[in-house]
Amino acid sequence: AEEAEFFSFGTNDLTQLTLGLARADAGKFLKIYQDKKILEKDPFASIDVEGVGELVRIGVERGRKTRPSLKIGICGEHGGDTASIHFFESVGLDYVSCSPYRVPVARLAAAQAALSVKVGDCYRTCVGLSCVSWRCRFMRSARVFLGALGGLGG
């Protein structure tokens, strides 16, 4: 982040690498993994918060520690998944990018995610702390996140 002005996580590739699953082959056995409770849901449809999500969270925290103004987002089908968008808002991403047919759902999910945080939450969580949390950016969060979605990462 010392040199970079933005991070863009490719969540499809990151999911494949993190879980050691080839997306093209996963359809052959994902249902079995879900039935046996190895995976709760299809990690290519909705972000695996504990694995892939944790890597995104670490990237956000470390990137913004070095460069607080760093723009961070994701590209991939997770950008059109409601649950994933709520997670991405919670870790402080600035934008998501997704397939055009998923944009209406992504916009609605982004608005809901951005508005789910109350101003008082920021005060209670961060008062007296030097914090880079997404909560500290709440007042501009909805405008930035929704504006970026309107331009699909613009």
Side-chain angles (χ1 to χ4, degrees):
E2 289 178 14
E3 301 296 325
E5 294 183 10
F6 71 94
F7 285 174
S8 182
F9 296 100
T11 56
N12 297 331
D13 291 340
L14 189 58
T15 297
Q16 288 185 105
L17 179 64
T18 303
L19 300 178
L21 301 174
R23 185 177 177 187
D25 297 332
K28 298 173 187 170
F29 57 83
L30 274 180
K31 179 73 172 124
I32 297 167
Y33 278 24
Q34 290 171 305
D35 292 344
K36 293 182 182 255
K37 308 291 186 221
I38 295 169
L39 291 172
E40 184 179 322
K41 53 193 166 195
D42 180 347
F44 295 105
S46 191
I47 197 79
D48 167 50
V49 173
E50 293 177 1
V52 179
E54 185 61 20
L55 292 176
V56 171
R57 184 188 320 273
I58 290 168
V60 170
E61 289 173 4
R62 292 183 184 176
R64 291 233 170 92
K65 183 177 180 181
T66 302
R67 183 183 292 252
S69 64
L70 187 68
K71 298 293 180 203
I72 306 175
I74 65 101
C75 58
E77 292 307 303
H78 294 103
D81 173 62
T82 302
S84 298
I85 290 171
H86 279 262
F87 170 76
F88 296 137
E89 170 66 11
S90 77
V91 297
L93 295 192
D94 297 303
Y95 69 90
V96 298
S97 178
C98 62
S99 301
Y101 74 93
R102 300 189 96 180
V103 169
V105 170
R107 281 184 152 170
L108 178 60
Q112 291 169 336
L115 296 175
S116 69
V117 179
K118 296 182 177 47
V119 176
D121 291 343
C122 178
Y123 180 79
R124 283 191 298 276
T125 303
C126 303
V127 69
L129 301 175
S130 175
C131 183
V132 295
S133 164
W134 62 281
R135 292 178 190 270
C136 292
R137 297 183 342 269
F138 174 73
M139 294 308 286
R140 67 181 174 85
S141 176
R143 287 192 310 276
V144 170
F145 202 66
L146 292 174
L149 272 177
L152 282 179

